[in-house]
Amino acid sequence: MIEARRLHILRAVADHRTVTAAAAALYLTPSAVSQQLTALEQETGHRLVERSAKGVRLTPAGEILLSHTNAVLAQLERAEAELAAYGSGAAGTVTVAAFATGIAQVVAPAVARLADTAPGIRIRVQDAEGDASLPMVLDRQVDAAVAVEYRGAPSADDPRLTHVPLYAEPFDAVVPVGHRLADAPEVPLAELAKDPWIGPYPGNPCHDVVVLACESAGFQPRLEHSSDDFRAVVALASAGAGVALVPRSALNGMDLTGVVVRPVDGVAPTRRVFAAVRRGAEGHPLIRPVLDALREAARA
């Protein structure tokens, strides 16, 4: 008989690619993870992982078991949801990880909505970028994530997650007031090829959006200044340090003294925001109202 908790460990090892990282995500020791993997191999009668200096990878047998693991764990999430519904599940805490602008745009309004529509549900919010929040959902550190599509992100049909589209928004060009394109109604990205750039660090989903947009315009941006805080990005542009692309919602309420904000000429780079929960959990009586509130906040 295969124990479900060992399947959780197998998936964490497959996701994180090292025993140490999987152990940290699951709040276990590396030796405990190794012991559980050994026990799982004994239960199945197959070698499931191969270790090397670069980490751990699944064997063909491990890949077969992983494909069933995703289905089994999703079904267990559904079972928990139905049991919670049977027991009414009208009160409890849901933890949501989201990036800063997502918190302002949809999470905070959703919290306010739930205070009226489902007062028994308490939301705990954690600030986390999309590339961090999705692993947090898979590792059961949080119940839901509000994240941005990025290169390498789990796809919408990933068997481990249920995606709920929320909203999409364009990036606008931010240039100093004395910039040669400050008076242009729209900014062609190709015209900024020789400028110094200000942008998020690699790993931030918005970094990928900026780089891909510039690559599509025929150049690699010369990123001289890096910050994941768009207020800092705009402040540097105001000081004449360079140009930037910033999501439109991130500019709301910001001090724009010293900069000019213009739409991008042609097809604007866009970030697409979605909520994600572990597959099968979307019907949970605590999580379903949270997803509904996030959808309503996005529509508003």
Side-chain angles (χ1 to χ4, degrees):
M1 180 70 70
I2 298 174
E3 291 193 21
R5 64 192 177 97
R6 290 175 182 151
L7 295 180
H8 279 292
I9 289 173
L10 178 71
R11 187 161 80 177
V13 169
D15 287 342
H16 294 281
R17 300 185 184 280
T18 71
V19 168
T20 300
L26 298 173
Y27 300 103
L28 296 172
T29 64
S31 62
V33 169
S34 294
Q35 290 169 9
Q36 292 299 317
L37 287 174
T38 299
L40 184 58
E41 289 179 329
Q42 292 172 348
E43 287 173 344
T44 61
H46 292 278
R47 187 180 181 190
L48 302 174
V49 297
E50 291 181 347
R51 294 171 174 82
S52 70
K54 295 182 178 180
V56 176
R57 70 179 184 87
L58 298 189
T59 64
E63 294 287 355
I64 291 172
L65 183 57
L66 180 64
S67 67
H68 291 284
T69 291
N70 292 327
V72 168
L73 295 183
Q75 191 60 41
L76 286 174
E77 293 283 356
R78 294 186 188 98
E80 289 181 10
E82 289 189 20
L83 288 171
Y86 178 77
S88 80
T93 300
V94 176
T95 304
V96 179
F99 59 100
T101 309
I103 292 173
Q105 285 288 103
V106 293
V107 178
V111 170
R113 287 173 184 272
L114 288 167
D116 294 330
T117 60
I121 298 177
R122 176 174 174 264
I123 305 296
R124 284 186 64 238
V125 180
Q126 296 186 20
D127 189 332
E129 292 296 337
D131 58 328
S133 62
L134 296 178
M136 291 167 72
V137 172
L138 292 171
D139 293 334
R140 305 180 70 86
Q141 296 173 7
V142 300
D143 301 302
V146 173
V148 178
E149 290 182 3
Y150 60 95
R151 189 160 36 188
S155 62
D157 61 354
D158 189 295
R160 302 168 298 171
L161 295 168
T162 293
H163 281 228
V164 178
L166 294 177
Y167 65 92
E169 63 173 328
F171 282 61
D172 288 325
V174 178
V175 301
V177 290
H179 193 273
R180 63 189 181 280
L181 296 177
D183 294 329
E186 296 181 331
V187 172
L189 285 186
E191 296 295 320
L192 302 176
K194 295 183 179 180
D195 286 84
W197 279 74
I198 313 157
Y201 284 100
N204 185 314
C206 289
H207 174 89
D208 285 346
V209 175
V210 172
V211 171
L212 287 172
C214 293
E215 288 176 351
S216 296
F219 69 98
Q220 281 280 344
R222 179 161 53 91
L223 284 163
E224 291 197 358
H225 310 282
S226 297
S227 175
D228 288 335
D229 186 334
F230 286 115
R231 290 171 299 180
V233 170
V234 170
L236 286 167
S238 177
V243 300
L245 288 173
V246 177
R248 187 165 291 172
S249 66
L251 296 167
N252 291 340
M254 195 180 293
D255 181 5
L256 300 177
T257 304
V259 297
V260 172
V261 178
R262 293 287 184 265
V264 173
D265 184 31
V267 179
T270 301
R271 72 171 173 181
R272 291 173 175 80
V273 179
F274 62 93
V277 298
R278 290 181 294 279
R279 190 171 291 268
E282 62 275 8
H284 193 286
L286 294 179
I287 292 177
R288 185 176 61 249
V290 173
L291 293 177
D292 290 343
L294 289 170
R295 287 192 194 96
E296 287 297 319
R299 281 196 285 268

